């Protein structure tokens, strides 16, 4: 007697063990199916968010269009592959519960790999032109709240503690005198040689810990655009008499036969004044600070 056949051509009895196994595993299958559905939902949301971000970028950046197509194709391929894996495993004799469990774990790994921000691919570095356009766009924002220059944070990292003391001296005490010692006399009228440049009492007045480094400190402050070396002298001549009486200045003057002292001054730039008031002093002190004009070269 022949074995009854299903419409599909498969013997009816050969399917009984599979059906019995599926029936017995219904409670566990329900739990696994619910877990797989939840993970699939997370995967769909993560894939949708990723594709949405790519779509927004593709509107302004044509180079992202190819990445968008690849992302959508990847999501579809992962979903199709998971369904195919379950069918292939069951047909080869793997229990239904194990096949569903393995598929849900595989799908969860894809979800975590795509949804974790720190594991996502880094965005393409923006060009200088794009950054410039962004800066101009921010300049047109009348509701912007930027009150300080964005370079102030970087400058703070490039200052020595003694340099901060020098800036406070210039901010609170105003411009400081400095002198150059040069050769003078009849020969100096034709060709004057520099003996000692930029001598001052800034290190002592600021309480610098390393006074010998003051010339380097001043060079760094000038490099950062915070101070200005002016050829003009201060109005009070007594300021220079104190400097010229210092031992190092006297030693430089005595090192040549005909010394000549050229009086100069050191000022905060407007940028330096803004930096000091924003970063180095309390807001309540700003109203009592001396005014700082733009020195003349």
């Amino acid at each position: 007697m022949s074995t009854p056949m299903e419409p599909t051509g498969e013997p009816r009895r050969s399917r009984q063990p599979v059906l019995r196994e599926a029936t017995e595993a219904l409670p566990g299958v329900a739990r696994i199916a619910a877990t797989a559905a939840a993970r699939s939902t997370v995967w769909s949301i993560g894939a949708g968010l990723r594709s949405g971000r790519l779509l927004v970028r593709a509107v302004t950046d044509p180079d992202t269009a190819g990445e968008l197509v690849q992302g959508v194709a990847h999501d579809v391929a992962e979903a199709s592959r998971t369904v195919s894996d379950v069918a292939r495993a069951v047909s080869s004799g793997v229990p239904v519960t194990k096949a569903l469990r393995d598929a849900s774990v595989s799908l969860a790994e894809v979800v975590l790999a795509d949804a974790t921000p720190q594991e996502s691919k880094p965005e393409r570095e923006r060009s200088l032109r794009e950054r410039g356009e962004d800066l101009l766009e921010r300049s047109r924002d009348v509701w912007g709240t930027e009150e300080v220059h964005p370079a102030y944070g970087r400058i703070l990292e490039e200052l020595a503690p003694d340099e901060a003391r020098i800036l406070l001296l210039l901010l609170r005490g105003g411009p400081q005198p400095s002198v150059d010692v040069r050769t003078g006399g009849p020969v100096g009228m034709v060709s004057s040689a520099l003996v000692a440049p930029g001598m001052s009492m800034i290190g002592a007045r600021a309480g610098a810990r390393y006074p010998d480094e003051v010339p380097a400190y001043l060079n760094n402050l000038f490099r950062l655009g915070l101070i200005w070396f002016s050829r003009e002298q201060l109005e009070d001549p007594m300021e220079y008499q104190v400097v010229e009486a210092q031992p190092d200045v006297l030693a430089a003057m005595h090192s040549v036969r005909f010394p000549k002292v050229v009086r100069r001054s050191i000022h905060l730039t407007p940028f330096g004044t803004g930096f000091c008031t924003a970063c180095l002093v309390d807001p309540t002190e700003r109203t009592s600070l001396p005014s700082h004009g733009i020195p003349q070269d």
Side-chain angles (χ1 to χ4, degrees):
M1 182 175 180
S2 60
T3 303
M5 302 293 292
E6 289 289 342
T8 57
E10 181 183 355
R12 182 179 301 173
R13 291 181 180 177
S14 63
R15 299 184 59 187
Q16 292 303 320
V18 176
L19 294 176
R20 186 182 307 110
E21 179 187 356
T23 302
E24 294 174 354
L26 278 178
V29 170
R31 291 193 299 270
I32 296 173
T35 303
R39 290 175 175 172
S40 298
T41 302
V42 175
W43 174 78
S44 300
I45 294 174
L49 291 176
R50 185 178 65 252
S51 299
R53 290 194 299 267
L54 289 175
L55 180 59
V56 172
R57 289 175 53 197
V59 173
T60 57
D61 185 3
D63 295 338
T64 314
E67 186 178 352
L68 173 61
V69 173
Q70 294 178 1
V72 173
H74 171 74
D75 298 336
V76 174
E78 288 296 337
S80 301
R81 185 183 62 80
T82 302
V83 175
S84 300
D85 289 346
V86 173
R88 187 180 305 107
V90 172
S91 64
S92 62
V94 177
V96 177
T97 55
K98 186 177 185 306
L100 287 174
R101 186 184 303 111
D102 293 343
S104 61
V105 171
S106 176
L107 191 59
E109 292 176 352
V110 175
V111 171
L112 294 176
D114 288 342
T116 306
Q118 58 267 26
E119 295 181 0
S120 60
K121 294 181 180 179
E123 294 188 0
R124 178 181 62 85
E125 184 177 357
R126 303 175 64 195
S127 66
L128 295 178
R129 179 58 180 167
E130 290 172 335
R131 292 165 59 186
E133 290 178 352
D134 187 26
L135 182 62
L136 292 175
E137 182 65 26
R138 287 161 51 197
S139 72
R140 291 188 288 268
D141 183 8
V142 297
W143 304 104
T145 58
E146 294 183 2
E147 297 181 357
V148 298
H149 198 283
Y152 287 171
R154 175 182 58 82
I155 291 175
L156 282 172
E157 298 177 356
E158 299 185 22
L159 291 179
D162 279 349
E163 293 171 347
R165 289 177 173 271
I166 293 173
L167 290 174
L168 283 179
L169 170 67
L170 292 170
L171 181 68
R172 294 168 174 168
Q176 296 297 304
S178 68
V179 298
D180 294 343
V181 177
R182 307 183 67 93
T183 57
V187 177
M189 297 179 62
V190 179
S191 177
S192 178
L194 183 62
V195 177
M199 309 189 75
S200 70
M201 293 186 62
I202 287 180
R205 289 179 175 176
R209 185 177 181 182
Y210 303 103
D212 294 340
E213 298 296 325
V214 169
Y217 293 154
L218 294 176
N219 287 337
N220 187 45
L221 295 175
F222 176 76
R223 177 186 67 88
L224 295 172
L226 302 177
I227 66 172
W228 194 325
F229 297 110
S230 175
R231 297 180 181 179
E232 298 295 324
Q233 64 179 7
L234 304 179
E235 296 181 357
D236 187 1
M238 291 296 297
E239 296 278 355
Y240 292 96
Q241 292 180 10
V242 176
V243 176
E244 293 167 6
Q246 297 305 305
D248 53 347
V249 178
L250 293 175
M253 295 174 61
H254 294 156
S255 65
V256 294
R257 185 174 181 181
F258 299 104
K260 179 175 66 175
V261 176
V262 180
R263 295 176 174 179
R264 304 188 184 278
S265 57
I266 300 175
H267 303 245
L268 279 178
T269 63
F271 180 73
T273 302
F275 171 81
C276 292
T277 54
C279 304
L280 301 180
V281 297
D282 190 87
T284 58
E285 186 183 352
R286 297 175 184 176
T287 57
S288 60
L289 294 173
S291 59
H292 294 266
I294 300 177
Q296 301 293 325
D297 277 343

